[in-house]
Amino acid sequence: MSATTNPDPEPGAPAFIPLEANPELMTKLIHTLGVSPALQLHDVYSLTDPDMLAFIPRPALSLLLVFPVSTVYESHRMAEDNTLDEYRGAGEPEPVIWWKQTIRNACGMMGLLHAVSNGPARKFIEQGTTLDELVRKSIPLPPRERASLLEKTPAVAAAHKEAASVGDTAAPDAQDDVDLHYVCFVKGGDGALWELDGRRKGPIRRGELQDNEDMLSERALSLGILKFLEREGRDLRFSAVALAASLG
């Protein structure tokens, strides 16, 4: 599975090869960028079957949804964004760190960055790594400058290119239009559920969570992915990937 293009990239904007939604590949990528081997990505085969969910270590620190970009989704996204102000947050007080997507076909990378840089997952970023430096430099910056910093971090582009080139399916070209997209759900520093998507006007707060609730808890799922799927309808190309402790 690969990910969609940024809808309206700036003329001359950089482009990435779309990233396959492959947990093994994605795990190698986050480890290359600087996440501790203590974490990995896991396929989520069911969002409602307790027996299937039991295979995933808990807590689930973040959850990535990969889905087809439909007319229903685009209509809802635009309608909701019309009610929101452009996000201008910056600095340590932010409950989440969010990057605006300005790189074509980079939504897989954006999803992973949001997954590993927020909530408890941030503690697993190893000091002195590419990701550690990117997060530290990004936190004080407003969104436009953050996006520019990401574009000018060649180690991120190189790691992404290596990962995207070795998936199970033939990699599309960086300039191709691909109709699958990534959205990330995380627990923010304020304890709430946040939806993070670089295509939106900013991070979206979806509701309160209790201290003991993670991204696969009943409430988090009902506020996030299940509500999303209820609106969109079922499609065989929906898939979910959770960030949690490594197995073995």
Side-chain angles (χ1 to χ4, degrees):
M1 252 182 222
S2 302
T4 186
T5 179
N6 199 39
D8 298 301
E10 296 290 332
F16 281 2
I17 300 169
L19 185 67
E20 185 178 293
N22 176 323
E24 182 178 357
L25 179 156
M26 296 160 78
T27 296
K28 289 180 180 177
L29 176 53
I30 65 171
H31 290 170
T32 297
L33 291 174
V35 174
S36 164
L39 295 184
Q40 72 175 70
L41 281 304
H42 303 263
D43 269 319
V44 180
Y45 294 110
S46 173
L47 296 166
T48 55
D49 184 338
D51 291 335
M52 298 300 288
L53 288 172
F55 286 106
I56 300 170
R58 307 293 284 274
L61 305 183
S62 53
L63 193 59
L64 287 165
L65 175 65
V66 188
F67 62 95
V69 176
S70 66
T71 302
V72 172
Y73 169 75
E74 286 294 87
S75 296
H76 173 81
R77 178 182 68 84
M78 289 186 286
E80 187 172 40
D81 277 359
N82 283 338
T83 69
L84 303 174
D85 293 328
E86 201 74 36
Y87 184 70
R88 291 182 171 81
E92 292 289 350
E94 287 182 290
V96 291
I97 182 170
W98 174 81
W99 284 271
K100 186 173 182 64
Q101 183 182 339
T102 57
I103 302 171
R104 184 181 178 89
N105 281 334
C107 64
M109 173 60 82
M110 306 305 294
L112 287 176
L113 285 178
H114 289 139
V116 300
S117 301
N118 284 292
R122 189 185 295 180
K123 299 175 184 176
F124 291 86
I125 297 175
E126 298 180 330
Q127 290 188 356
T129 61
T130 297
L131 187 57
D132 177 49
E133 184 176 349
L134 175 65
V135 171
R136 284 192 294 102
K137 288 182 177 179
S138 293
I139 286 173
L141 302 176
R144 184 174 294 277
E145 283 78 0
R146 276 184 194 168
S148 179
L149 174 65
L150 182 58
E151 288 184 15
K152 297 172 183 175
T153 304
V156 170
H160 183 279
K161 182 177 181 180
E162 181 180 355
S165 300
V166 295
D168 291 336
T169 57
D173 185 85
Q175 298 295 337
D176 284 353
D177 289 330
V178 185
D179 71 343
L180 294 178
H181 188 57
Y182 286 74
V183 168
C184 182
F185 295 91
V186 302
K187 193 172 190 176
D190 58 351
L193 176 71
W194 287 82
E195 180 180 327
L196 305 178
D197 179 351
R199 293 182 70 199
R200 306 300 296 266
K201 284 187 173 181
I204 304 173
R205 194 178 194 271
R206 291 303 185 192
E208 300 287 345
L209 296 175
Q210 299 298 316
D211 290 345
N212 63 343
E213 291 178 316
D214 68 355
M215 292 300 95
L216 291 176
S217 67
E218 184 177 350
R219 180 164 174 77
L221 290 172
S222 67
L223 289 171
I225 284 186
L226 291 179
K227 181 174 285 188
F228 191 107
L229 295 181
E230 196 176 290
R231 184 179 68 243
E232 297 297 314
R234 298 289 174 174
D235 187 302
L236 291 176
R237 293 181 297 164
F238 280 109
S239 61
V241 182
L243 179 70
S246 294
L247 297 173

